[in-house]
Amino acid sequence: QAFNFAVHSEHAESVTLLLYSPADLVNPLLKLQLDFLHNKSGRIWHCRVPVTKITEARYYAYSVSGQTIPQLHSFDPQKVLLDPYAKCIFFPPGFDRNLAMREGSNAGSAPLGVLFDHRSTFDWSGHRSPYHESDAVIYELHVKGFTKNPNSGVDPSRAGTYAGLVEKIPYLKELGVTVVELMPVFQRDPQEGDYWGYMPLNFFAPHAQYASTHRADEPHLEFKNMVKAFHQADIDLVLDVVYNHTCEGDHKGPIYSYKGLDSAGYYMVSSDPANPYANYSGTGNTLNFGQAHVRKMVIDSLRYWKRGMHIDGFRFDLASVFSRNADGSLNLGEAPIFSEIAADPELGPVRLIAEPWDTAAYQLGRGFPG
């Protein structure tokens, strides 16, 4: 048995895999510098590590070096960087957003990926995914806000959690709801102050702070139990997903992951030296859907939530961003991401809802391809 690690970085000159034990979250248990001749295929840096070699390791991250160029690259080898594909994220007791916003090391204060088998068997017996069309009554809600209020009727130990939401199913049934749309549940920066969830840190991990316990695998298990309970009650679950930007913000924002790995490879850049990141999201940065690996990351994320979590559909926040070329121009009719989603055998049939605008484009009534 082994762990396979892979990360995309076109402009990195070196990539080091950092493995940590729970006993020391500052000094890596093992540092593996990847050889660009043997551990790099195209723009992907990768390695395979036998489980027997890292039995004491529980967390992982990356360190990346490269030429720093204003407006293009933010390489800082002292920064501990989160894997964009991490399925579970650990925030150490010393987690500090401010250190990620300064030059220099943030060791012991950075979010880390968790080493665990997220594919472990879950009991989906008796599971059936419902699908409501003409009888669709969609109710949008916030996991925490809907269950945290003392008057919600949810057990205090489960208030504000995925498990607490299960207790509200009889109420939703009484209202006649057939589709529940969850406001964003992607993992976000717990110190950013984003209550509603629209500043994602990662596109694969469920927000750990919505789990009722703090075991590494609990967010996944609790989320799956919630999905299964809703499906048994004949209610669809749709996710409000934010793929147009991340919580790293503009050039003054924190470096957690994408910026340190290859900022120009993940984000759209502008020609304005004072504002180097194109900002069609209104939050400081915009993901670059002109890049094939960015589109692949989004497709992989959607598949993960559909295949692994049994989600029934997606509502895309600021979906006009999907149609922007690398230079910011709109390409609504031929944007590859739309046809890639429509052609996918798993994603094509699911419920897809697009918010048809961003800060500089309004596409209401025009429809989206696919």
Side-chain angles (χ1 to χ4, degrees):
Q1 292 186 335
F3 285 104
N4 289 305
F5 298 90
V7 67
H8 184 282
S9 182
E10 178 182 0
H11 300 100
E13 295 177 356
S14 70
V15 173
T16 302
L17 174 65
L18 309 174
L19 296 162
Y20 297 87
S21 74
D24 190 343
L25 300 173
V26 176
N27 303 295
L29 178 71
L30 189 63
K31 298 174 68 172
L32 297 175
Q33 183 165 346
L34 306 189
D35 184 340
F36 73 93
L37 293 176
H38 299 98
N39 301 108
K40 189 170 186 284
S41 301
R43 301 173 179 179
I44 307 296
W45 299 75
H46 54 83
C47 67
R48 180 179 174 85
V49 184
V51 171
T52 54
K53 189 175 180 180
I54 54 173
T55 54
E56 297 180 20
R58 184 64 183 278
Y59 310 109
Y60 75 103
Y62 293 99
S63 170
V64 177
S65 298
Q67 184 180 6
T68 297
I69 303 175
Q71 299 186 56
L72 287 178
H73 305 308
S74 305
F75 293 119
D76 182 349
Q78 296 186 74
K79 282 286 184 290
V80 176
L81 303 174
L82 178 69
D83 176 10
Y85 275 71
K87 305 301 189 296
C88 184
I89 299 172
F90 172 72
F91 293 89
F95 172 68
D96 189 344
R97 172 182 172 84
N98 291 324
L99 287 181
M101 299 173 71
R102 306 172 191 159
E103 292 185 5
S105 175
N106 62 339
S109 302
L112 305 172
V114 180
L115 293 173
F116 81 106
D117 186 2
H118 63 275
R119 301 166 301 175
S120 57
T121 302
F122 177 80
D123 182 12
W124 288 104
S125 60
H127 173 266
R128 180 186 64 83
S129 294
Y131 188 80
H132 297 277
E133 294 186 280
S134 60
D135 64 335
V137 177
I138 302 176
Y139 192 110
E140 182 183 23
L141 61 84
H142 185 274
V143 173
K144 182 176 180 180
F146 195 67
T147 62
K148 189 69 173 178
N149 191 294
N151 298 321
S152 68
V154 173
D155 185 286
S157 66
R158 292 184 288 276
T161 69
Y162 304 120
L165 195 53
V166 173
E167 296 186 26
K168 299 294 292 183
I169 289 177
Y171 171 71
L172 293 166
K173 293 289 290 183
E174 183 180 350
L175 292 179
V177 172
T178 60
V179 181
V180 165
E181 179 183 309
L182 299 183
M183 296 182 75
V185 296
F186 290 168
Q187 181 64 63
R188 56 187 184 271
D189 176 353
Q191 292 183 355
E192 198 273 336
D194 168 33
Y195 178 84
W196 298 110
Y198 288 92
M199 294 292 283
L201 169 65
N202 168 280
F203 303 125
F204 292 84
H207 190 57
Q209 286 68 32
Y210 288 164
S212 58
T213 66
H214 300 289
R215 296 202 319 267
D217 59 344
E218 188 60 32
H220 294 77
L221 295 176
E222 195 166 313
F223 191 93
K224 290 176 180 178
N225 276 313
M226 177 192 67
V227 173
K228 185 176 180 180
F230 271 88
H231 285 177
Q232 288 174 336
D234 196 34
I235 297 177
D236 290 18
L237 269 182
V238 173
L239 296 188
D240 186 349
V241 288
V242 182
Y243 291 117
N244 57 81
H245 70 277
T246 78
C247 69
E248 288 188 314
D250 59 16
H251 58 293
K252 298 178 182 179
I255 297 175
Y256 287 132
S257 181
Y258 316 91
K259 276 185 182 177
L261 290 169
D262 194 352
S263 62
Y266 284 97
Y267 297 119
M268 294 175 61
V269 298
S270 78
S271 58
D272 180 2
N275 299 285
Y277 289 89
N279 185 18
Y280 293 104
S281 65
T283 62
N285 63 55
T286 308
L287 251 65
N288 187 354
F289 282 87
Q291 293 277 9
H293 72 277
V294 171
R295 299 195 303 272
K296 183 180 186 303
M297 177 176 66
V298 170
I299 295 289
D300 288 344
S301 169
L302 291 170
R303 285 177 182 151
Y304 177 75
W305 289 97
K306 172 58 181 172
R307 182 184 302 165
M309 302 296 204
H310 291 242
I311 288 300
D312 303 301
F314 304 93
R315 178 266 187 191
F316 298 95
D317 181 67
L318 300 186
S320 289
V321 167
F322 283 20
S323 65
R324 290 195 176 276
N325 298 313
D327 63 358
S329 60
L330 284 170
N331 185 22
L332 187 64
E334 300 178 7
I337 187 71
F338 299 124
S339 58
E340 289 167 359
I341 292 174
D344 188 276
E346 289 184 88
L347 301 177
V350 305
R351 192 186 305 274
L352 301 174
I353 304 168
E355 183 178 43
W357 57 77
D358 57 34
T359 60
Y362 190 81
Q363 305 295 332
L364 187 62
R366 291 188 57 181
F368 278 76

